[in-house]
Amino acid sequence: MNKPAEAPEQFDAVVVGAGFSGLYMLYRLRQLGLTVKAFDSAGDVGGTWYWNRYPGARCDIPTTDYTYSFDPELEKEWTWSEKYATQPEILDYLRFVADRYGLRADIEFSTSVTSAHWDEQGKRWSIATDRGAQLRCRYYIMASGCLSMPKSLDIKGTDRFAGKVYFTSQWPHEGVDFTGQRVAVIGTGSSGIQSIPLIARQATQLTVFQRTPNFSVPAHNGPAPADRLARLAQDREEYRDAARWSPGGVPVEPTDILGVTASETVARERFEEAWKQGQLFSILGIFADQGVNPASNKIVADMIRERIRSVVHDPETADMLCPKDHYFGTKRPCLDTGYFETYNLPHVRLVDLRRQPITSITEDGIDTADEFFGLDAIVYATGFDAMTGALAAVNATGRDGLSLTEKWAAGPSTYLGLMTAGFPNFFMITGPGSPSVLSNMAVSIEQHVDWVADCLKDMGAEGFETIEPTPLAEAGWDQHVRDCGAITLHPTANSWYMGANVPGKPRVFLPYIGGVSVYRQACDDVVAQDYLGFRRTGPGGERCRDGVIRRMQPDVSLVLQLMAGLGMPPMETLSPDEARAMMAAAAETLPPSPEVGEVTDGMMPGPGGELPYRLYRPASAGPHPVVVYFHGGGWVLGNLDSDDPLCRDLCVQSDAVIVSVNYRHAPEARFPAAAEDAFAALQWTAAHAGELGGIPGQIAVAGWSAGGNIAAVACQLARDAGGPHVSGQLLITPVTDSDMTRPSYTENGDGYVLTTPLMHWFWDYYADPADRSDRRAAPLRGNLDGLPPACVVTADFDPLRDDGLAYADALEAAGTQVRRVRARGHTHTSVTMVGVIISGAPVRAEIAAALRDFFPSRTSLGN
Ligand code: N01
């Protein structure tokens, strides 16, 4: 008779990993009174710090900050000995924590979880381990680390080598003595850069095989920084809280100094100060724009390269060590102790694998294209399958048999980096889509663990058994993560952040770069909105408030925050002159605008006197099509200067002559002055196209906001007058009607620069109520037959969004070809903020493409 199979053990939660995150997760779950089992393939606690025992291994965040903060008593009982503690000390700390809270009792070491399946009927995870255990649990939590799955070796002949082989990520516990040996280190990331100086002290000969040089700055290790210790001593909780609400999880004062506008002296001073501090967040924060602006980044990168050249004696070696193929910070920079100095030692040699690639590893060394290196030992410091590797390794199967690797075949998809749809009750600590590796891990881990623990507590209190993100919420978060990455220089690098180090891995920017505080706020907001975007179920039914937590472009929200911080009065409380002065002052703070071929100012006749215009000519050989442009400003504000950056951008990108016209403004000249001026400007420009460097007959009109309003009106008037011929109308977030009852006036009426009260203010100055239904004020009410092709741009957070959409609908209904451009996540004004709002660039590129398409014959002219 068969022995009956043992019933699987039942737990409330299973945790994978016993490093920083697993230990704290276990602690919190126990506090909730849940039964928990944790597993770790290591022989003890420590996670990363258990495995990475290579010589020189240290943290790269000051240990004052790289530490748990959940228990003040714990903090009193442990004092770090150095600014950057060594691996043995950090491991001791984690052992101390495990002992202090008796955590080992619930951890099974030297055990890996091999499979995890969601049982939809039983609402449980079925877990199996490599020791043959079967378990059932309600919550399955991966605290498996972001850099814990070593990258597979992808070098030919690695199994042939008969000498000693070491991996920095799995270093022997008894240590290694390289005395008298010829050693190779392959890889110059943080692990290589930390270990190379110490291996060089023992080895007879050390050859470093470098594929990509890395930026590294001296750690200046020593006693813990006095300023941080003093702040901690003064008010520990205030300090920890400042870390939790900081951009990177370490309290630092962010700068607003831009590299592109800083003087050389200021740039140098800031660099020297950051260099002296020897801290990643200092050197990454010299300028506010170094992560997004290539020119600013280059200033910092050049200074680091200058340092490398000043340390390394041999100019050729120094040159090889200077990173040139990526922007500073787009690959994780390193902190080192004597790394570059090591190359001045006579027995240390650097091999540039780009010039001299490895052809194969052989029994007794490494063969390259033009040289053989005899060796006794090879150290692989070749990195990790970061962020997704450990999660994919335990290929969890969620609802309907969908596996995580199948779901993530094109890259990970998560809600807040915490959960993924289709996998109920499956949590990730610092998963992809969370700040994790871009932040102080200790702070991010605590925040994630606390969020998960609080969520389980809330579920228990409200009688829910399962939780899972909705596809909508997850897609929204994925988009937000991509939007945040896209405005930075990160996607340009072949980094492990992008998955580029692992052959075949989808190229996706894995972490969330919006910042620790912004992220924490998003997580808190989700909870405050009744777990927005999560579906929770229980015996009493289900609850789901579906939605997207962050829809705005990250740089747009940053600018809105900055503006709110300035405390400017609402414009509608000012007089027109005061509002104009405020706008002029704001324009002075703008960064330099794009260069065009030529800019000339002139005057053209208008119905009420001469109208100033500014002409932008592309650098390419003319003649060019001509675009008559009308600036924004609610018919009251704006001038040739206010829209100068946008006009330059349009000129450069569309390769058209832009004629920006300063029409008459209200209240000095009320309706229909602006509309009449617009039509007159169109007529004059069409008649003088040749003299202006344009191609006669190739004229379009364009305008932003109120400028879009009069551009649309000018098209209708031109049609009625039988000319001039207009090739197209570009209407950027236009006013098309005086009816302010459309939903966008309510949804977006407050908080996004252009407000509903401000629109009232504009209309009141511009037109009498009786005139507001005139088609020259409200073009939507005009005859829309026979109008030129249109491009209508609408922004999500704009009171005028529905004005634009209504006009696009009406034009289409009248048979006009309409190209709709949605400025996703933008406000009424942000799309036009050239050089300030980076996320507007793709929208403006689409706008310029639409302008070019108005003139198809231009392409056939060979331009
Ligand atoms: O790994 P890496 P790491 N042939 O991927 C090279 C954290 N950490 O273990 O750049 C030849 O950075 C590869 O070259 P390339 C920290 O976040 C922190 O060093 O892909 N070379 C690269 O030079 C860090 O960023 C600390 O062209 C090959 C190196 O190997 C992260 O962990 C300490 C190769 C791998 O560098 C990973 O660091 C250590 C091949 N086939 C780690 N394959 C602290 O200080 C790869 N390489 C806290």
Side-chain angles (χ1 to χ4, degrees):
M1 212 172 90
N2 281 344
K3 211 174 133 195
E6 260 181 53
E9 255 193 289
Q10 302 277 344
F11 292 93
D12 292 321
V14 162
V15 176
V16 176
F20 254 102
S21 51
L23 290 178
Y24 183 45
M25 191 74 248
L26 181 52
Y27 170 83
R28 285 292 322 257
L29 292 171
R30 274 198 195 167
Q31 272 192 330
L32 293 178
L34 301 182
T35 56
V36 194
K37 179 64 108 185
F39 294 101
D40 199 306
S41 57
D44 196 3
V45 299
T48 285
W49 301 104
Y50 176 89
W51 295 107
N52 291 269
R53 298 168 184 245
Y54 59 83
R58 291 175 186 273
C59 56
D60 59 5
I61 296 287
T63 341
T64 39
D65 301 82
Y66 189 71
T67 194
Y68 288 122
S69 71
F70 65 86
D71 184 351
E73 293 307 311
L74 172 64
E75 289 209 53
K76 278 189 209 151
E77 289 170 28
W78 187 271
T79 308
W80 294 102
S81 66
E82 288 179 276
K83 176 179 172 189
Y84 296 111
T86 60
Q87 171 271 331
E89 189 175 354
I90 303 172
L91 186 57
D92 278 351
Y93 170 70
L94 292 171
R95 286 185 178 137
F96 171 75
V97 170
D99 290 340
R100 191 183 189 283
Y101 302 101
L103 299 175
R104 282 201 176 84
D106 291 325
I107 310 172
E108 215 168 298
F109 294 108
S110 307
T111 308
S112 299
V113 170
T114 49
S115 70
H117 299 278
W118 174 249
D119 164 14
E120 178 69 13
Q121 285 240 294
K123 307 270 185 266
R124 294 283 189 287
W125 282 93
S126 294
I127 309 276
T129 74
D130 60 354
R131 292 188 170 223
Q134 301 281 336
L135 302 87
R136 304 255 301 164
C137 61
R138 189 175 301 283
Y139 307 114
Y140 175 44
I141 302 168
M142 292 296 281
S144 45
C146 294
L147 292 153
S148 49
M149 176 58 64
K151 191 183 96 145
S152 310
L153 282 182
D154 51 3
I155 302 171
K156 201 173 147 202
T158 43
D159 50 352
R160 285 171 63 191
F161 187 61
K164 295 277 188 194
V165 172
Y166 303 102
F167 295 85
T168 48
S169 55
Q170 282 162 0
W171 203 255
H173 287 206
E174 61 282 9
V176 180
D177 185 359
F178 289 108
T179 307
Q181 296 192 24
R182 296 164 304 160
V183 183
V185 175
I186 302 179
T188 49
S190 299
S191 306
I193 283 177
Q194 283 187 332
S195 57
I196 284 163
L198 288 157
I199 295 174
R201 284 194 200 163
Q202 295 178 336
T204 315
Q205 199 182 83
L206 172 63
T207 313
V208 176
F209 291 85
Q210 169 192 275
R211 188 162 67 184
T212 312
N214 228 323
F215 288 101
S216 185
V217 300
H220 299 309
N221 200 19
D227 55 335
R228 289 192 186 279
L229 288 179
R231 269 186 77 179
L232 274 165
Q234 199 182 7
D235 190 343
R236 193 197 67 89
E237 196 40 46
E238 184 274 332
Y239 184 89
R240 297 294 180 218
D241 214 48
R244 290 178 197 123
W245 290 100
S246 68
V250 175
V252 283
E253 207 48 60
T255 181
D256 56 3
I257 296 177
L258 301 179
V260 280
T261 48
S263 71
E264 257 185 74
T265 319
V266 167
R268 176 64 64 182
E269 274 171 13
R270 292 191 60 76
F271 176 78
E272 295 297 338
E273 181 52 33
W275 192 262
K276 214 165 62 194
Q277 285 185 14
Q279 293 183 31
L280 284 183
F281 286 120
S282 307
I283 200 94
L284 287 166
I286 293 176
F287 303 123
D289 58 344
Q290 72 188 62
V292 297
N293 188 319
S296 171
N297 190 284
K298 186 172 181 302
I299 299 171
V300 180
D302 279 349
M303 291 195 204
I304 301 178
R305 287 188 279 259
E306 187 185 290
R307 286 298 167 118
I308 296 172
R309 292 183 207 282
S310 75
V311 170
V312 180
H313 299 160
D314 173 40
E316 204 187 325
T317 307
D319 192 58
M320 283 196 280
L321 287 165
C322 285
K324 297 180 199 90
D325 76 338
H326 61 279
Y327 294 108
F328 172 64
T330 55
K331 289 181 104 167
R332 172 90 169 189
C334 308
L335 281 186
D336 73 90
T337 303
Y339 173 65
F340 292 111
E341 290 82 348
T342 303
Y343 292 94
N344 294 332
L345 299 172
H347 67 292
V348 177
R349 182 167 160 199
L350 181 69
V351 174
D352 178 354
L353 293 178
R354 306 252 180 222
R355 285 190 221 163
Q356 200 177 337
I358 295 175
T359 46
S360 181
I361 294 185
T362 68
E363 286 71 16
D364 48 2
I366 293 180
D367 220 356
T368 69
D370 26 48
E371 205 176 340
F372 175 74
F373 295 84
L375 296 166
D376 302 307
I378 300 179
V379 174
Y380 292 101
T382 43
F384 298 88
D385 182 353
M387 301 208 67
T388 52
L391 294 167
V394 187
N395 191 11
T397 310
R399 193 178 320 96
D400 306 325
L402 180 71
S403 76
L404 195 63
T405 46
E406 281 165 353
K407 181 177 173 187
W408 288 5
S413 165
T414 72
Y415 188 31
L416 302 166
L418 279 161
M419 296 195 84
T420 187
F423 295 76
N425 292 1
F426 170 76
F427 295 92
M428 294 163 279
I429 305 302
T430 64
S434 75
S436 57
V437 292
L438 296 174
S439 67
N440 174 2
M441 284 300 275
V443 167
S444 287
I445 284 169
E446 281 194 343
Q447 186 253 338
H448 259 204
V449 168
D450 286 338
W451 194 95
V452 172
D454 293 346
C455 164
L456 300 190
K457 191 172 155 199
D458 290 347
M459 282 174 65
E462 295 182 78
F464 292 120
E465 292 175 342
T466 72
I467 179 165
E468 181 189 346
T470 68
L472 176 74
E474 183 166 309
W477 185 254
D478 286 341
Q479 183 65 60
H480 178 58
V481 172
R482 280 197 297 276
D483 287 345
C484 290
I487 60 172
T488 72
L489 299 171
H490 274 279
T492 61
N494 289 322
S495 63
W496 59 256
Y497 294 136
M498 292 295 299
N501 64 329
V502 175
K505 191 166 172 174
R507 199 184 160 91
V508 175
F509 186 58
L510 296 165
Y512 175 70
I513 201 168
V516 164
S517 57
V518 174
Y519 173 78
R520 179 183 289 270
Q521 190 62 60
C523 292
D524 290 357
D525 289 352
V526 163
V527 175
Q529 293 174 49
D530 199 16
Y531 284 89
L532 179 76
F534 283 106
R535 172 167 288 109
R536 290 174 296 166
T537 67
E542 78 162 47
R543 190 175 332 151
C544 176
R545 182 166 171 219
D546 206 357
V548 171
I549 190 66
R550 291 289 180 263
R551 292 191 300 126
M552 187 172 276
Q553 292 288 346
D555 48 355
V556 175
S557 33
L558 202 67
V559 167
L560 287 181
Q561 271 170 38
L562 288 174
M563 287 174 73
L566 294 177
M568 291 184 301
M571 215 170 246
E572 63 274 15
T573 61
L574 304 178
S575 70
D577 280 343
E578 286 167 339
R580 286 168 188 161
M582 193 161 95
M583 272 189 71
E588 280 179 16
T589 62
L590 294 177
S593 299
E595 288 289 333
V596 299
E598 190 189 355
V599 179
T600 46
D601 283 353
M603 301 295 279
M604 64 171 74
E610 290 211 301
L611 300 174
Y613 72 87
R614 183 168 295 166
L615 183 143
Y616 302 83
R617 205 187 309 284
S620 63
H624 303 92
V626 181
V627 178
V628 189
Y629 176 84
F630 305 108
H631 62 75
W635 309 281
V636 176
L637 312 172
N639 51 40
L640 298 181
D641 292 334
S642 61
D643 288 29
D644 182 75
L646 180 65
C647 288
R648 285 168 178 270
D649 192 68
L650 287 175
C651 174
V652 171
Q653 293 209 52
S654 67
D655 202 37
V657 164
I658 309 288
V659 179
S660 173
V661 182
N662 201 12
Y663 49 91
R664 283 170 294 164
H665 294 143
E668 294 82 356
R670 285 164 64 86
F671 172 85
E676 284 177 348
D677 285 359
F679 181 48
L682 170 63
Q683 286 176 306
W684 183 86
T685 308
H688 296 82
E691 295 152 47
L692 299 172
I695 305 169
Q698 293 208 9
I699 306 271
V701 292
W704 166 47
S705 191
N709 169 274
I710 57 174
V713 172
C715 287
Q716 294 189 18
L717 296 177
R719 176 209 50 204
D720 296 347
H725 166 76
V726 180
S727 302
Q729 46 181 328
L730 166 62
L731 311 177
I732 305 172
T733 59
V735 189
T736 67
D737 198 7
S738 48
D739 171 8
M740 283 185 266
T741 61
R742 291 191 171 82
S744 55
Y745 269 102
T746 316
E747 284 169 35
N748 304 320
D750 184 27
Y752 307 120
V753 184
L754 178 65
T755 62
T756 300
L758 184 56
M759 276 311 296
H760 281 284
W761 188 84
F762 285 140
W763 274 112
D764 289 346
Y765 278 117
Y766 182 49
D768 290 338
D771 290 330
R772 292 184 196 174
S773 52
D774 188 303
R775 67 184 177 116
R776 290 168 302 165
L780 184 63
R781 302 182 190 205
N783 166 17
L784 302 185
D785 290 338
L787 288 174
C791 170
V792 181
V793 184
T794 53
D796 288 357
F797 295 93
D798 183 0
L800 293 174
R801 179 197 65 201
D802 295 345
D803 262 43
L805 291 176
Y807 203 60
D809 290 346
L811 284 174
E812 265 175 359
T816 297
Q817 194 188 323
V818 178
R819 180 168 178 164
R820 294 164 190 255
V821 174
R822 174 182 165 202
R824 187 178 49 75
H826 280 275
T827 62
H828 181 75
T829 43
S830 61
V831 182
T832 64
M833 295 174 79
V834 177
V836 178
I837 300 289
I838 299 169
S839 62
V843 182
R844 292 190 296 269
E846 221 182 318
I847 293 173
L851 270 185
R852 282 196 303 271
D853 286 352
F854 287 155
F855 311 108
S857 59
R858 174 92 178 133
T859 322
S860 59
L861 285 174
N863 285 285

